[in-house]
Amino acid sequence: MIVLLVLGIVFLLYTLLQYTQHREVRWIPLLLGIVLIAGNLWGLHVADEKHLFMTRNEESRTEKIEPAAQVGKYNFITTQKIGDNKRYTYQLNDKSYQTLAKNTTMTLKTGSPATLKTSVTTFVESNVFDRFMRLGKNSQDQEDTAYTMTVPKDWHIVSTDQFDKLEKIATASDENLSDNVAKRVKDEYAKAYDENHNFLKDKNAQKKLQDKIVADETKKSEAKINKQIDKQLKDWDIK
């Protein structure tokens, strides 16, 4: 388009030169010059937006994904706001990944297995004529990336700030777990000793009792965490 624009200018200069020298208007080169200049100025203005003289290509891939994190019995995909869009974090083969946030769309679906479909649309120059018309422009433009994320109904999508709050709930409960186990071990050991003075010499009996206490308290702690998280999610109106 730049070449044709220059050609249009040449036609106008030729028309001006003929008028200056011969006082004669050459209408054909004048009209050609105006058309070439106007048309190519418009083309240069909208070339990137309209992807003029480019061929549309679309590539898609679908991958099975895993939750970004787990707290209690809950699985989470986390999001981070970037401008007007969101960046989604998930895991793939036990490694953390994030979606792009610029020039993207995200469609969320409920289903199993959990997958992420990525469709990338690009526009490329496919022949010599295209390259000639787009001289000075990018030879390839990426329009956008469209995501479709399918997650099971028992997964939840929360912001990173919300997830931090849920992690604090779990951390607080874990801290209480150690205290509760220590207190119960002390109380249960004393009770077992009262019933059998040989208990403090029986290492197997001590280990068996301690393992039982740890399992019991861990189960209680997990139940408490799940209850607190469930309440918090309902407060946020996250289903």
Side-chain angles (χ1 to χ4, degrees):
M1 286 179 286
I2 292 178
V3 175
L4 295 181
L5 176 63
V6 172
L7 182 60
I9 295 174
V10 170
F11 277 134
L12 288 185
L13 290 176
Y14 172 76
T15 302
L16 179 61
L17 181 63
Q18 290 297 311
Y19 180 78
T20 302
Q21 292 181 348
H22 306 291
R23 296 298 173 179
E24 180 182 358
V25 176
R26 299 293 180 93
W27 290 102
I28 292 179
L30 175 62
L31 293 175
L32 282 175
I34 293 173
V35 170
L36 287 172
I37 291 174
N40 287 283
L41 282 175
W42 174 84
L44 289 171
H45 179 68
V46 301
D48 293 332
E49 179 184 351
K50 302 293 185 181
H51 307 290
L52 296 180
F53 303 103
M54 304 189 86
T55 301
R56 178 189 177 100
N57 287 333
E58 184 172 312
E59 296 182 359
S60 297
R61 72 175 186 274
T62 301
E63 300 170 304
K64 289 186 177 181
I65 63 173
E66 302 155 3
Q70 295 176 300
V71 179
K73 67 177 183 179
Y74 295 90
N75 296 308
F76 295 99
I77 296 291
T78 59
T79 65
Q80 181 181 7
K81 189 170 177 59
I82 306 293
D84 294 330
N85 294 326
K86 289 182 180 179
R87 175 175 291 154
Y88 291 73
T89 300
Y90 59 96
Q91 285 200 349
L92 178 64
N93 297 325
D94 296 324
K95 293 183 179 180
S96 183
Y97 293 89
Q98 291 182 320
T99 61
L100 300 174
K102 186 178 180 180
N103 297 327
T104 65
T105 59
M106 172 64 77
T107 301
L108 298 173
K109 295 183 177 180
T110 301
S112 186
T115 59
L116 178 66
K117 179 181 179 181
T118 305
S119 299
V120 180
T121 301
T122 57
F123 293 85
V124 297
E125 299 171 353
S126 59
N127 52 55
V128 175
F129 177 73
D130 290 343
R131 289 192 287 273
F132 171 76
M133 293 300 294
R134 291 183 56 84
L135 186 66
K137 291 287 185 179
N138 294 331
S139 60
Q140 176 174 311
D141 288 337
Q142 178 172 320
E143 182 185 52
D144 60 21
T145 300
Y147 295 107
T148 301
M149 182 177 285
T150 302
V151 296
K153 63 180 180 181
D154 59 347
W155 287 25
H156 302 277
I157 297 176
V158 297
S159 69
T160 52
D161 290 340
Q162 290 173 324
F163 182 74
D164 288 344
K165 293 180 180 178
L166 298 178
E167 272 196 316
K168 289 179 181 178
I169 291 174
T171 300
S173 185
D174 286 340
E175 292 173 352
N176 292 332
L177 173 61
S178 299
D179 294 338
N180 292 340
V181 168
K183 184 177 184 303
R184 270 199 64 185
V185 165
K186 180 179 179 181
D187 294 342
E188 295 288 342
Y189 271 34
K191 182 178 179 181
Y193 175 75
D194 289 340
E195 295 176 354
N196 180 8
H197 286 353
N198 291 324
F199 175 76
L200 296 181
K201 299 178 182 179
D202 191 342
K203 300 298 182 183
N204 289 332
Q206 292 176 30
K207 185 177 186 308
K208 184 177 180 180
L209 179 57
Q210 182 173 338
D211 289 345
K212 180 181 181 301
I213 292 171
V214 170
D216 288 345
E217 291 301 321
T218 299
K219 186 176 180 179
K220 290 179 183 178
S221 178
E222 289 177 347
K224 182 179 179 182
I225 289 173
N226 292 332
K227 185 177 181 180
Q228 290 176 317
I229 291 177
D230 183 63
K231 181 180 182 303
Q232 184 64 79
L233 291 174
K234 286 180 179 177
D235 290 344
W236 289 333
D237 197 27
I238 295 176
K239 299 180 181 179

